[in-house]
Amino acid sequence: MEQYTGHFMQHLPYLRRYARALTGTNGRGDALVTRTLEWYLEADEDETGRGDDLSRGALYRHLNKLQDEDGASPAVAPYHPVESALMTLDETDRRLYLLVNLEDLPVGDAAAVLELAPEEALERLTHARERVRARLTATILIVEDDAIIAYDLAETVRGMGHIVCGNAATMDEALSLAAEHRPTLALMDIRLADGDNGLEVARELRSRRFLPVIFVTAFPDDLAKHGLEHLGPVIPKPFTRDQIEQAITRAVFMPQPEDARETAQPH
């Protein structure tokens, strides 16, 4: 029995990682792994493949079986954008994506775990990757009254594979574009054309719906003066493209706060 337990323990880190991603929480994932260990130790040897050649694929299959028997939907409490994107997939496609992209299984091995033909698995994986990639593409609103800086920001955004939904130089233009395109992020100057203020734009956008904002400004102290540091991070001008890219990546992949959860749920 101790020998069998040792064989299982070799796979334990991988099983815990997959089970936690499968269920959406550490607790539920670890519970599945515990039940899989019990099955492995108690079931018939022919069923488990118990021995030195214990297949991790067989253990993944049993984790999936237990999850199906429980009939439990994956938890979405963290609301991480990647998790949210995966939740839009068919359950088989989600598991295939996790097995290949998280667990590094070859597509053929993942197909065997899910009892799919290799050709079908490859087709489904391609579709899943495209869908996840599309969900993780941010739609970004640029609020900047300097045309050269706005152009530079737009080129940086597009170079990262994200979408620029428009550039606004005033508060009215920003609110209009935001209502029309529902961006997922805004790059915001503070001092705008016509005497408008990016802080007021950010506050108005927040009152209408949650929208992450990155302030790109020559007046970085303005937020602190008004006690508005909570509205978003600040990149002082002059900036580098690396600064913009890093800030966008953090914003896109940051788990969403409580007030964003209602709009984060997949429809």
Side-chain angles (χ1 to χ4, degrees):
M1 185 69 69
E2 183 177 341
Q3 178 186 12
Y4 294 151
T5 303
H7 295 156
F8 184 92
M9 295 301 287
Q10 294 175 3
H11 299 292
L12 182 61
Y14 308 102
L15 299 178
R16 291 184 71 192
R17 181 175 61 189
Y18 177 68
R20 290 176 173 189
L22 182 66
T23 62
T25 70
N26 292 348
R28 288 167 60 185
D30 288 348
L32 278 190
V33 173
T34 299
R35 291 164 61 192
T36 298
L37 173 60
E38 294 169 351
W39 162 79
Y40 171 68
L41 294 177
E42 296 172 3
D44 182 86
E45 185 169 332
D46 292 337
E47 181 183 356
T48 62
R50 193 160 53 223
D52 292 330
D53 59 347
L54 171 64
S55 165
R56 186 153 40 114
L59 298 173
Y60 287 137
R61 278 195 295 275
H62 196 71
L63 286 171
N64 287 337
K65 179 182 178 182
L66 291 175
Q67 178 73 351
D68 291 338
E69 289 176 354
D70 290 345
S73 299
V76 293
Y79 283 89
H80 191 285
V82 175
E83 294 172 343
S84 179
L86 290 175
M87 287 291 292
T88 68
L89 300 177
D90 172 88
E91 182 60 15
T92 298
D93 291 350
R94 187 177 76 91
R95 294 178 184 184
L96 178 63
Y97 187 99
L98 290 173
L99 288 168
V100 175
N101 290 74
L102 180 67
E103 298 303 310
D104 293 324
L105 287 189
V107 176
D109 291 354
V113 170
L114 298 170
E115 299 181 345
L116 298 173
E119 297 81 6
E120 180 186 359
L122 183 58
E123 182 179 346
R124 295 180 76 134
L125 179 63
T126 299
H127 171 76
R129 283 173 168 168
E130 290 174 350
R131 186 159 182 172
V132 170
R133 188 179 302 114
R135 293 278 300 192
L136 295 178
T137 299
T139 300
I140 299 179
L141 170 64
I142 297 173
V143 185
E144 170 61 64
D145 62 343
D146 185 308
I148 295 176
I149 294 176
Y151 176 83
D152 192 23
L153 290 172
E155 287 298 291
T156 301
V157 168
R158 294 189 182 103
M160 296 178 69
H162 298 306
I163 297 168
V164 177
C165 67
N167 177 66
T170 66
M171 181 170 183
D172 286 345
E173 291 175 0
L175 296 179
S176 177
L177 285 170
E180 179 180 357
H181 297 285
R182 296 186 63 81
T184 50
L185 175 67
L187 300 178
M188 184 86 61
D189 192 7
I190 289 181
R191 302 193 182 181
L192 303 171
D194 299 341
D196 288 347
N197 192 301
L199 299 177
E200 291 302 316
V201 178
R203 293 175 71 176
E204 181 62 26
L205 289 173
R206 180 176 286 265
S207 72
R208 298 184 181 190
R209 68 180 183 90
F210 178 80
L211 178 64
V213 173
I214 299 170
F215 291 97
V216 184
T217 178
F219 305 96
D221 295 335
D222 281 11
L223 276 85
K225 289 178 182 177
H226 295 86
L228 297 174
E229 298 95 326
H230 65 281
L231 288 180
V234 179
I235 298 177
K237 294 177 182 177
F239 56 82
T240 66
R241 289 201 172 191
D242 282 345
Q243 287 177 302
I244 300 297
E245 289 175 356
Q246 291 172 14
I248 290 173
T249 298
R250 284 194 296 270
V252 170
F253 287 94
M254 182 184 299
Q256 299 175 17
E258 293 287 342
D259 58 355
R261 291 187 175 186
E262 184 174 346
T263 58
Q265 295 204 36
H267 298 287

